[in-house]
Amino acid sequence: MANEHDSRYKKLFSHPSSVKKLMLSFIDEPWVKELDYSSLEKLDKSFVTDEFINKESDIIYRIKFREQDIFIYLLIEFQSSVDRFMSLRMLRYITEFYEYIVSAKKVKKLPAVFPVMLYNGEKRWTASEQLGNLIERTIPDKYIPEFSFYKIAENEFSNNLLAGIRNIISAVFYLENSRIENLEDEIDQIVLMIREEKPEEIRLFRLWIKNYFNGEDTDATDKIAGRIREIEEVKDMLSSSLKKRDKMQFKLGLEKGIEKGLE
């Protein structure tokens, strides 16, 4: 199950547009809105150790924030049980990432890294996001390491809230939170959530759906896939029509310009 999650989530968040939607829709930090999302660049490097490779997956992006490079470290947690020492593991990955930067090039200062954990287990997340809460305060606080990560737990978002966000990430969370046996009743809502997305994002969601059901042919999957294909076709037709219209307007404008020039 973890490998299936790994595959579909890695494909989903290998697209900068998906990361942008995750950040803007599900991270409650004002400064996140100031990031230059046009500069998003994925790093082809992982820092998850072999010990946890089947339980989680990491994706790292470089992005500009106020003209400076920062990094987004996205850890996707697949296991259903809650690891109370997740903050320690996350810190371990960040320090390994820093070691990699130091060994790769000379730096005077280490870049800022924003650590985000995406959890899609069924159990409620109960572990602290702050490392300091896991350490006994038997010595002065200045010697106690402080580190925090940002938690996104899919099961903490109500379906009403997700339905109001309306993008492929909220649709993914909505689907993960829905019962398979009730899925046919949810088709209209899921389609409504993605219908304003760009054609390439709708195609990405359709691939995610296919992987989610592991190629199973059920009435629900057939109906969702069919409805999504309809949206894709309409989007493609609209895109082609708009391109034709733009070409016609350009041609008409050019002809009028030539006429005026001749006059």
Side-chain angles (χ1 to χ4, degrees), residues 162-163 166-167 170-171 174 189-195 197:
L162 293 172
R166 294 192 183 183
N167 60 40
S170 64
Y174 190 100
Q189 182 60 67
I190 292 167
V191 169
L192 184 64
M193 291 167 72
I194 64 162
R195 68 181 311 120
E197 294 284 52

Side-chain angles (χ1 to χ4, degrees), residues 18 42 57 87 116 125 127 143 148 152 167 188 218 226 233 256:
S18 297
K42 183 175 173 288
S57 181
S87 57
V116 180
W125 185 267
Y143 302 112
S148 298
I152 301 175
N167 60 40
D188 288 342
T218 66
E233 288 168 6
K256 285 182 181 178

Side-chain angles (χ1 to χ4, degrees), residues 249-263:
Q249 286 180 343
F250 177 76
K251 186 179 177 183
L252 287 170
L254 191 64
E255 287 173 354
K256 285 182 181 178
I258 292 169
E259 285 176 9
K260 282 190 176 182
L262 289 171
E263 287 173 8

Side-chain angles (χ1 to χ4, degrees), residues 114-260:
F114 181 43
V116 180
M117 182 204 68
L118 176 59
Y119 170 69
N120 66 353
E122 292 181 6
K123 292 182 179 178
R124 188 172 70 88
W125 185 267
T126 53
S128 175
E129 295 98 75
Q130 297 180 341
L131 179 63
N133 291 338
L134 301 175
I135 303 172
E136 293 286 357
R137 302 279 169 166
T138 49
I139 60 174
D141 282 355
K142 65 179 181 179
Y143 302 112
I144 304 292
E146 289 293 343
F147 170 79
S148 298
F149 65 88
Y150 194 97
K151 173 200 66 177
I152 301 175
E154 292 181 14
N155 61 14
E156 291 181 1
F157 299 101
S158 70
N159 276 2
N160 284 339
L161 177 67
L162 293 172
I165 293 173
R166 294 192 183 183
N167 60 40
I168 61 168
I169 305 302
S170 64
V172 163
F173 290 0
Y174 190 100
L175 226 161
E176 289 266 26
N177 289 342
S178 299
R179 287 178 167 277
I180 296 293
E181 58 268 25
N182 297 335
L183 205 53
E184 280 202 58
D185 299 330
E186 304 285 5
I187 292 172
D188 288 342
Q189 182 60 67
I190 292 167
V191 169
L192 184 64
M193 291 167 72
I194 64 162
R195 68 181 311 120
E196 298 303 320
E197 294 284 52
K198 294 177 181 176
E200 59 268 27
E201 290 166 340
I202 293 172
R203 276 188 278 274
L204 180 63
F205 182 69
R206 181 160 57 84
L207 290 172
W208 192 93
I209 288 273
K210 186 177 179 182
N211 185 278
Y212 179 76
F213 290 104
N214 202 21
E216 292 178 20
D217 291 322
T218 66
D219 289 342
T221 56
D222 287 345
K223 285 178 182 176
I224 291 176
R227 294 288 297 281
I228 292 172
R229 271 195 296 271
E230 286 173 16
I231 296 173
E232 281 183 315
E233 288 168 6
V234 170
K235 290 268 183 180
D236 286 339
M237 284 170 61
L238 181 60
S239 178
S240 298
S241 298
L242 288 172
K243 285 177 183 175
K244 285 179 182 177
R245 185 200 65 179
D246 290 343
K247 283 181 181 178
M248 286 294 292
Q249 286 180 343
F250 177 76
K251 186 179 177 183
L252 287 170
L254 191 64
E255 287 173 354
K256 285 182 181 178
I258 292 169
E259 285 176 9
K260 282 190 176 182

Side-chain angles (χ1 to χ4, degrees), residues 51-79:
E51 180 185 0
F52 296 109
I53 201 73
N54 290 322
K55 298 177 180 177
E56 60 200 23
S57 181
D58 61 348
I59 302 171
I60 307 168
Y61 273 88
R62 180 192 286 118
I63 190 170
K64 292 284 185 187
F65 177 56
R66 297 174 183 171
E67 306 300 322
Q68 296 287 323
D69 279 345
I70 70 164
F71 292 86
I72 300 166
Y73 190 98
L74 177 61
L75 186 77
I76 305 165
E77 177 76 351
F78 304 128
Q79 61 182 351

Side-chain angles (χ1 to χ4, degrees), residues 14-47:
S14 290
H15 291 257
S17 62
S18 297
V19 176
K20 178 181 178 180
K21 285 179 169 61
L22 179 74
M23 297 286 287
L24 292 176
S25 300
F26 296 98
I27 291 180
D28 187 19
E29 290 280 355
W31 62 272
V32 163
K33 294 180 175 62
E34 298 181 47
L35 294 173
D36 178 9
Y37 290 97
S38 65
S39 68
L40 268 173
E41 179 189 359
K42 183 175 173 288
L43 270 63
D44 293 321
K45 184 72 177 168
S46 174
F47 294 90

